């Protein structure tokens, strides 16, 4: 009775069902099994299962047979190479019927399902790889990228944004993008703009480069170039903002403007220098006549009260001649030529050139010069121009000093070379600017008082001569030192 009830149930099952005897002969096969085998029942029943499925697939059942011999059911799944069919993904259930009597085999062909699963896994892996690639691009981008949801809550904040804005990703995610990143004076306008976007209104600035300011965590504004995108992801609105720091660009633009202004000033100074050089050259001839006549007058009045007056005229004319000569030497353009230069004479010539300017500004000039010092092998014009730049800088630095104003020029030598120093009792140079003052176009002077090229040009000229220009650590005031190599010994 039970057997008659069981057979219809096995026939109705969608799985392939067969019963094998102890020698693996097929005793029963349902319609699904028959359809799979493609053999008429009279040829299938009584045949061995290994002849149907092939030796390779039959060998896969060996572990299961070991369990069946001990009276235990076995279940396994995997790819099997079936004879005449090929590779199929099977789930096999084997149940022993009585001790050593027969085996119930239930086979589920999951090939299509497995292939769908593998295709789905491949698609998921592809999507994951794409997501990982995009995440890596965002994480390694030099542009700051932040993303907020429809409620203005930040959901993405890449490392470049951390570096630019001072926030850590884990502490800013979930916070309001506007409240964290918008400058306080722009926050209300930001809220109105985002409300219009959420309401579906168009904004012509979406996707376009914008020059704005964002707020750093420390509380200062950073100029950036940004772009904003509005996207829908599964029906949810998201706002993506990319930002590039403009501080270096702004600094470069300012430097270019400074260079242009310095070039204009240089052109004006060059034109004035040429004009004044012509004037000085024209003054040279009358001065020569004055000096000659003064010398004759001094000789003609020898022994009389007029001799002292004639001597004063001659001395004054010679001083004017030296000033004109010094000016002409610095004004003419020629390649650097090294020659023997006595630093104390260079200092005296520069002092005479700026003497009137210093006296008119109530500045006392003190010369502490050693005339016995060995001459330096340098270009005299480069040395004179560098010293003159230092004197002009000292005079301008003393403009804000109340009380006595003093500049001291001294020279000397040590084991490292010959030196010439210009020291003033002005406000000095702040420690944080000691190196910057030698950078081209850097200046601490008010606008219109300097171009910021004097010290950099002077240092460059001296280094071409093998020398150096440096700021010594003194207080009060500033002390600049010109240092040149010791003269080479005669062979």
């Amino acid at each position: 009775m039970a057997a008659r009830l069981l057979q219809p149930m096995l026939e109705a099952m969608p799985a392939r069902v067969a019963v094998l005897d102890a020698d693996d002969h097929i005793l029963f096969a349902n319609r699904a099994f028959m359809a799979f085998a493609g053999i008429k029942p009279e040829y299938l029943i009584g045949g061995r299962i290994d002849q149907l499925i092939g030796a390779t697939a039959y060998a896969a059942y060996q572990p299961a047979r070991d369990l069946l011999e001990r009276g235990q059911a076995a279940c396994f799944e995997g790819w099997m190479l079936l004879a005449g069919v090929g590779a199929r993904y099977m789930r096999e259930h084997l149940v022993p019927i009585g001790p050593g009597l027969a085996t119930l085999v239930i086979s589920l062909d999951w090939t299509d399902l497995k292939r769908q699963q593998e295709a789905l896994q491949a698609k998921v892996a592809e999507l994951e790889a794409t997501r990982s690639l995009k995440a890596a691009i965002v994480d390694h981008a030099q542009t700051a990228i932040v993303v907020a949801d429809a409620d203005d809550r930040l959901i993405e904040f890449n490392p470049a944004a951390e570096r630019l804005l001072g926030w850590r990703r884990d502490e800013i995610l979930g916070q309001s993008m506007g409240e964290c990143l918008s400058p306080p004076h722009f926050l209300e306008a930001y809220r109105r703009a985002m409300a219009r976007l959420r309401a579906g209104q168009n904004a012509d600035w979406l996707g376009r480069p914008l020059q704005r300011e964002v707020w750093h965590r420390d509380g200062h504004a950073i100029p950036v170039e940004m772009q904003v995108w509005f996207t829908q992801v599964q029906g949810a609105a998201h706002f993506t903002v990319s930002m590039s720091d403009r501080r270096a660009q702004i600094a470069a633009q300012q430097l270019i403007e400074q260079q242009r202004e310095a070039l204009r000033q240089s052109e004006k100074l060059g034109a004035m220098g040429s004009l004044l050089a012509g004037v000085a050259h024209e003054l040279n001839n009358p001065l020569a006549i004055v000096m000659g006549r003064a010398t004759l007058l001094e000789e003609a009045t020898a022994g009389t009260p007029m001799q002292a007056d004639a001597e004063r005229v001659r001395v004054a004319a010679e001083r004017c001649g030296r000033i004109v000569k010094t000016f002409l030497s610095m004004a003419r353009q020629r390649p650097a030529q090294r020659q023997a230069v006595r630093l104390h004479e260079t200092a005296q010539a520069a002092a005479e050139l700026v003497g009137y300017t210093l006296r008119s500004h109530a500045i006392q000039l003190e010369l502490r010069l050693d005339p016995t010092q060995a001459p330096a092998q340098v270009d005299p014009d480069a040395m004179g121009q560098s010293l003159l730049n230092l004197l002009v800088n000292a005079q301008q630095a003393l403009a804000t000093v109340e009380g006595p104003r003093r500049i001291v020029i001294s020279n000397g030598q040590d084991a490292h070379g010959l030196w010439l120093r210009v020291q003033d009792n002005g406000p000095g140079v702040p420690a944080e600017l000691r190196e910057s003052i030698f950078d081209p176009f850097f200046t601490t002077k008010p606008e219109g008082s300097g171009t910021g090229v004097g010290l950099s040009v002077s240092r460059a000229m001296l280094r071409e001569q093998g020398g150096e220009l440096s700021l010594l650590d003194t207080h009060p005031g500033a002390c600049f030192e010109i240092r040149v190599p010791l003269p080479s010994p005669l062979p």
Side-chain angles (χ1 to χ4, degrees):
M1 181 68 179
R4 289 197 301 271
L5 292 174
L6 183 60
Q7 184 170 352
M9 293 176 58
L10 295 178
E11 290 288 359
M13 288 180 65
R16 303 167 189 165
V17 180
V19 177
L20 309 179
D21 65 10
D23 296 322
D24 290 335
H25 291 93
I26 302 173
L27 301 178
F28 167 82
N30 70 350
R31 283 191 293 270
F33 197 97
M34 294 287 187
F36 162 72
I39 302 174
K40 293 180 178 180
E42 56 267 27
Y43 298 114
L44 179 65
I45 302 301
R48 287 181 56 84
I49 190 67
D50 58 341
Q51 294 174 347
L52 177 65
I53 64 176
T56 302
Y58 184 73
Y61 285 87
Q62 184 59 47
R65 283 197 294 273
D66 294 340
L67 291 173
L68 293 171
E69 290 176 358
R70 296 196 295 270
Q72 300 177 16
C75 179
F76 68 92
E77 66 178 77
W79 286 100
M80 300 177 64
L81 187 61
L82 300 177
V85 178
R88 307 295 293 178
Y89 192 87
M90 306 298 296
R91 180 167 180 86
E92 301 286 335
H93 296 265
L94 291 86
V95 181
I97 302 174
L101 295 179
T103 301
L104 174 64
V105 180
I106 303 174
S107 297
L108 297 172
D109 190 343
W110 284 358
T111 304
D112 293 340
L113 181 63
K114 185 63 175 177
R115 285 173 176 164
Q116 292 174 1
Q117 182 185 31
E118 289 177 346
L120 180 60
Q121 288 175 343
K123 187 63 176 178
V124 170
E126 180 183 349
L127 292 174
E128 180 63 24
T130 302
R131 189 201 67 81
S132 299
L133 176 61
K134 291 180 178 179
I137 292 173
V138 171
D139 288 345
H140 292 88
Q142 296 302 307
T143 300
I145 299 174
V146 301
V147 182
D149 60 17
D151 298 323
D152 198 42
R153 300 297 169 185
L154 285 162
I155 60 174
E156 184 55 68
F157 202 81
N158 75 339
E162 291 181 312
R163 294 191 296 271
L164 177 65
L165 302 170
W167 289 89
R168 294 199 318 271
R169 184 176 186 274
D170 59 351
E171 65 184 355
I172 197 172
L173 290 186
Q175 297 197 49
S176 167
M177 179 166 66
E179 292 179 2
C180 291
L181 306 183
S182 181
H185 63 274
F186 191 72
L187 182 56
E188 190 58 36
Y190 169 85
R191 289 171 175 164
R192 290 195 300 268
M194 299 306 286
R196 289 193 295 269
L197 284 178
R198 283 191 287 269
Q201 299 181 22
N202 292 327
D204 58 359
W205 46 266
L206 280 175
R208 293 173 50 192
L210 305 171
Q211 292 186 355
R212 296 288 189 270
E213 288 184 340
V214 292
W215 204 243
H216 191 275
R217 183 181 180 181
D218 293 341
H220 65 273
I222 300 175
V224 298
E225 181 171 285
M226 67 167 58
Q227 285 183 281
V228 183
W229 295 275
F230 174 77
T231 54
Q232 292 275 354
V233 179
Q234 295 180 346
H238 292 81
F239 302 94
T240 302
V241 184
S242 66
M243 294 170 280
S244 299
D245 193 346
R246 293 185 61 242
R247 286 175 293 187
Q249 178 185 357
I250 292 173
Q253 290 173 345
Q254 292 173 344
L255 179 59
I256 290 173
E257 286 301 318
Q258 291 175 346
Q259 291 172 338
R260 288 174 178 168
E261 179 60 27
L263 181 59
R264 287 192 290 266
Q265 293 292 335
S266 177
E267 290 174 348
K268 288 194 295 186
L269 290 174
M272 291 180 61
S274 298
L275 177 63
L276 292 176
V279 173
H281 182 73
E282 292 299 321
L283 286 176
N284 228 8
N285 293 332
L287 278 174
I289 295 173
V290 171
M291 284 188 289
R293 293 295 181 179
T295 302
L296 292 175
L297 183 59
E298 185 180 2
E299 292 174 354
T301 58
T304 68
M306 293 292 293
Q307 181 181 8
D309 292 335
E311 181 182 1
R312 281 193 290 273
V313 171
R314 176 183 59 77
V315 171
E318 289 176 348
R319 181 170 177 272
C320 289
R322 288 195 300 272
I323 292 174
V324 169
K325 181 181 178 182
T326 302
F327 182 84
L328 286 172
S329 296
M330 289 190 297
R332 65 175 180 263
Q333 297 181 355
R334 61 172 179 78
Q337 296 178 354
R338 295 193 187 189
Q339 60 188 66
V341 175
R342 293 192 176 274
L343 297 186
H344 75 282
E345 293 178 354
T346 302
Q348 289 170 340
E352 287 185 337
L353 200 59
V354 299
Y356 174 78
T357 302
L358 296 182
R359 289 193 298 273
S360 65
H361 287 81
I363 298 174
Q364 177 188 354
L365 178 61
E366 182 180 348
L367 302 180
R368 301 177 185 175
L369 302 174
D370 178 11
T372 64
Q373 189 182 73
Q377 290 294 324
V378 293
D379 181 74
D381 294 343
M383 181 61 66
Q385 183 65 58
S386 299
L387 182 56
L388 189 61
N389 285 340
L390 296 181
L391 289 172
V392 171
N393 286 349
Q395 175 255 312
Q396 292 175 341
L398 290 169
T400 60
V401 174
E402 298 292 337
R405 303 171 181 177
R406 185 176 67 258
I407 297 176
V408 178
I409 305 177
S410 58
N411 71 322
Q413 70 179 69
D414 53 32
H416 303 290
L418 307 175
W419 53 262
L420 190 62
R421 294 171 184 165
V422 177
Q423 184 171 3
D424 63 62
N425 64 335
V429 179
E432 64 273 14
L433 301 180
R434 292 179 65 86
E435 288 302 321
S436 300
I437 59 174
F438 293 102
D439 293 339
F441 308 108
F442 179 88
T443 180
T444 59
K445 300 172 186 175
E447 186 174 352
S449 298
T451 61
V453 297
L455 289 176
S456 62
V457 170
S458 296
R459 173 178 269 188
M461 288 191 301
L462 290 168
R463 285 181 173 177
E464 287 179 1
Q465 309 292 314
E468 184 59 85
L469 173 62
S470 58
L471 174 63
L472 301 184
D473 189 7
T474 60
H475 186 79
C479 181
F480 287 88
E481 179 185 80
I482 295 174
R483 183 172 286 273
V484 295
L486 289 168
S488 301
L490 294 175

